[in-house]
């Protein structure tokens, strides 16, 4: 089996690549080859015995998606995207990468399908950013997508294309609406959502973190490990069970910031919690106000997708995956 | 005021043009100029004293949308589309006209906005085809758009672009999800939905019509006159009241085929009803099974959009607008 990962140099892309390399199989099928695509060359995973090709490519440029499709990957994970803040700041770049790049990939597959019946599995990462306030809690599976960012708009369009191209039989697609990923490993970044991770990640290693919002803020989370699990399940699931509605809100954990902090206290004590400094930021408070508080995710749950059910579990996954297993 | 109508040669486009010409105003503003755009040159309306320019153009071709935008229309009605059956048969043409053409128009406006702050009202005709079965009855305003045709997909993408470009301030857009238009004037056509009109239109003038589905089939209707009314109201409505969710399911009349026939009986007698021949068509029965039975349309109704409330009214509008006022 030949697997392609587009956006392989990103955080989730790297974890997915490494997990596939470690397991050596997708479902019950041995992986013989991986093609890693990103705007920079992604590192090859460790411990994988098959062929690895790492390519720097931008699918919004003419002919680039066709090069990947010419190698006829059996499964394509499409994770590449300009993130929310950048797509909002740079209108052209967001539409070019997130919409035109996605459409170029889908169309290259369509052309190949017309040539020889090629019909790969396509796993597309979408986002809860396809929803915009006012939002009910929990958000039902049949709630309309009315994004309030260009990023969310581009993801919602990608979802529509994915469903139509799948209905036409050009490929067999599934769209995975990821929760906010928490605890995101690495250094603090400037994403407005960054505090959800940093108020746990930094105190776990004895460093201070800033909380810019009230503890009552409720949001929707899943660990990086759960996110990789969603993608793998999406790649192996029997899509006949999914039907024509190919885009699924993933399960996750709805929690308030206060609940996050109490989980931190249970795992790492009062000393860790004391490292969180509450410095209200009106701009972030206003943004977060429109974010999804939580989902029913009934369809995805019935289809076998699963995520953590407590922040203690999310913190434990971070300790195991990023901190060598103990504090 | 300068008004542009894209898709001016179509049935609704012609009626809209003629209505604007007859009234001479849009809301309370006098119309000085109309630009009519379609793939063929639309006829100039009668009784209009302002300037009329009729242009044959295809906005999916580079530079074409820019020519219209260079004339800086104050209000743009975008009605042009490849219809459902043709967009399903010809994948490339449907995406080219319905998606690329719409995006080319929106982007030409965006570029003009960046140049000089140009910010027209854009009234975009969408369709209940953005919804796909299984559908509740009535369909609430916050129900998700999961189209089951490429046409519906293209319209749903147009809606998303309209909202994002409006949110960004490039133009002030509103999307009008039209019910099935009934009674569509003219000759019988091969559209699967054609029978909804022909079972009334033909018997009203003493001709036979074929009913391919059961009388229990329920669908969602509005007259051509109501459709023009939606567009005019969308063009003059205070969009601050609408907020960022710019696409509205219009009010309409939910009726079964049996209810249509009983209205025909009341207006034109048993002799007219006897002209309807029931010839089941399994292909049409299967297609119609997935169509929208009816909508709540609460938001549009609260915003002042209105449609007929009985099929007697719809038939009466047809008699007045198409048959000279009497049978």
């Amino acid at each position: 089996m030949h697997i392609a990962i587009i956006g392989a140099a990103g955080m989730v892309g790297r974890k997915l690549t490494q997990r596939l390399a470690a397991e050596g199989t997708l479902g019950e099928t041995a992986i013989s080859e991986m093609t890693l695509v990103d705007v920079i060359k992604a590192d090859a995973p460790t411990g994988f015995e098959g062929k690895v090709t790492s390519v720097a490519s931008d699918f919004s440029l003419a002919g680039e998606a066709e090069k990947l499709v010419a190698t006829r990957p059996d499964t394509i994970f499409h994770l590449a995207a300009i993130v929310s803040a950048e797509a909002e700041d740079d209108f052209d770049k967001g539409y070019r990468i997130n919409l035109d790049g996605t459409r170029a990939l889908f169309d290259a597959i369509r052309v190949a399908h017309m040539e020889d019946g090629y019909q790969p599995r396509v796993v597309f990462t979408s986002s809860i950013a396809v929803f915009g306030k006012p939002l009910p809690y929990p958000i039902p599976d049949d709630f309309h997508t009315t994004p309030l960012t260009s990023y969310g708009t581009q993801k919602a369009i990608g979802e529509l294309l994915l469903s139509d191209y799948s209905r036409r039989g050009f490929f067999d697609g599934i769209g995975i609406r990821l929760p906010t990923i928490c605890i995101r490993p690495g250094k603090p970044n400037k994403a407005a959502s960054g505090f959800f991770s940093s108020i746990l990640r930094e105190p776990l290693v004895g460093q201070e973190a800033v909380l810019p919002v009230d503890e009552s803020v409720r949001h929707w989370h899943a660990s990086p490990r759960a996110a990789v699990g969603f993608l793998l399940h999406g790649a192996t699931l029997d899509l006949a069970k999914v039907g024509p509605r190919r885009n699924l809100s993933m399960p996750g954990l709805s929690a308030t910031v206060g609940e996050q902090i109490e989980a931190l206290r249970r795992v790492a004590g009062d000393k860790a919690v004391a490292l969180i400094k509450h410095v209200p930021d009106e701009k972030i408070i206003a943004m977060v106000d429109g974010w999804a508080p939580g989902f029913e995710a009934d369809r995805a749950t019935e289809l076998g997708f699963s995520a953590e059910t407590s922040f203690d579990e999310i913190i434990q996954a971070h300790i195991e995956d990023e901190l060598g297993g103990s504090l």
Side-chain angles (χ1 to χ4, degrees), chain A:
Chain A
M1 170 175 258
H2 174 192
I3 293 176
I5 300 173
I6 304 160
M11 188 270 286
V12 176
R14 279 180 284 125
K15 287 191 176 285
L16 173 65
T17 305
Q18 195 55 54
R19 172 90 170 263
L20 289 167
E23 297 192 351
T25 58
L26 177 64
E28 297 182 352
T29 310
I31 303 167
S32 55
E33 182 176 356
M34 285 202 268
T35 301
L36 310 180
V37 182
D38 210 312
V39 288
I40 55 165
K41 277 196 183 190
D43 292 336
T46 53
F48 179 65
E49 295 185 356
K51 178 181 170 190
V52 178
T53 309
S54 188
V55 185
S57 178
D58 173 351
F59 280 12
S60 69
L61 302 177
E64 287 296 302
E66 286 77 0
K67 289 182 193 167
L68 174 68
V69 170
T71 69
R72 297 291 192 269
D74 301 292
T75 299
I76 300 175
F77 292 95
H78 178 29
L79 286 69
I82 298 297
V83 297
S84 189
E86 190 175 4
E88 202 61 20
D89 286 345
D90 190 336
F91 183 91
D92 286 301
K93 189 174 182 183
Y95 272 89
R96 187 169 62 76
I97 303 292
N98 294 347
L99 174 49
D100 296 330
T102 296
R103 197 169 165 208
L105 171 65
F106 290 179
D107 266 330
I109 298 170
R110 177 171 70 91
V111 170
H113 174 81
M114 302 314 250
E115 283 170 14
D116 62 11
Y118 174 58
Q119 194 183 33
R121 173 71 55 104
V122 174
V123 182
F124 172 65
T125 52
S126 188
S127 164
I128 56 175
V130 299
F131 299 99
K133 72 171 176 178
L135 293 169
Y137 171 63
I139 300 168
D141 281 331
D142 62 5
F143 197 70
H144 58 172
T145 56
T146 58
L148 291 175
T149 59
S150 291
Y151 173 81
T153 301
Q154 293 145 11
K155 285 294 185 188
I157 293 173
E159 289 189 358
L160 285 161
L161 293 172
L162 181 95
S163 281
D164 198 40
Y165 282 53
S166 295
R167 186 184 62 82
R168 293 267 190 170
F170 303 143
F171 55 69
D172 216 6
I174 185 159
I176 303 286
R177 287 186 194 133
L178 292 177
T180 288
I181 304 300
C182 188
I183 302 171
R184 179 174 277 275
K187 302 209 162 149
N189 66 21
K190 295 195 169 179
S193 62
F195 72 87
F196 288 120
S197 287
S198 64
I199 60 168
L200 303 175
R201 185 184 57 223
E202 270 65 82
L204 284 170
V205 293
Q207 296 173 7
E208 286 193 356
V210 169
L211 173 62
V213 304
D214 193 83
E215 289 194 17
S216 66
V217 166
R218 178 175 288 283
H219 194 47
W220 186 239
H221 305 275
S223 72
R225 189 195 282 182
V228 169
F230 298 151
L231 298 173
L232 295 177
H233 189 60
T236 53
L237 180 67
D238 177 4
L239 292 182
K241 291 184 194 162
V242 178
R245 293 179 178 171
R246 291 299 177 99
N247 299 288
L248 298 170
S249 295
M250 288 294 110
L253 175 63
S254 175
T256 64
V257 169
E259 288 164 4
Q260 289 189 254
I261 292 172
E262 288 316 303
L264 176 67
R265 193 186 311 276
R266 284 189 293 273
V267 174
D270 291 338
K271 204 173 65 174
V273 171
L275 291 165
I276 301 172
K277 305 299 168 196
H278 193 199
V279 184
D281 180 322
E282 292 305 324
K283 198 173 161 191
I284 293 177
I285 289 168
M287 289 176 72
V288 170
D289 176 53
W291 292 358
F295 290 80
E296 284 183 356
D298 289 344
R299 286 193 70 212
T301 303
E302 281 161 22
L303 288 162
F305 291 91
S306 66
E308 292 83 7
T309 56
S310 74
F311 244 104
D312 302 64
E313 275 182 82
I314 287 179
I315 294 172
Q316 195 55 40
H318 179 77
I319 293 170
E320 289 171 12
D321 293 350
E322 307 295 336
L323 302 177
S326 64
L327 290 180

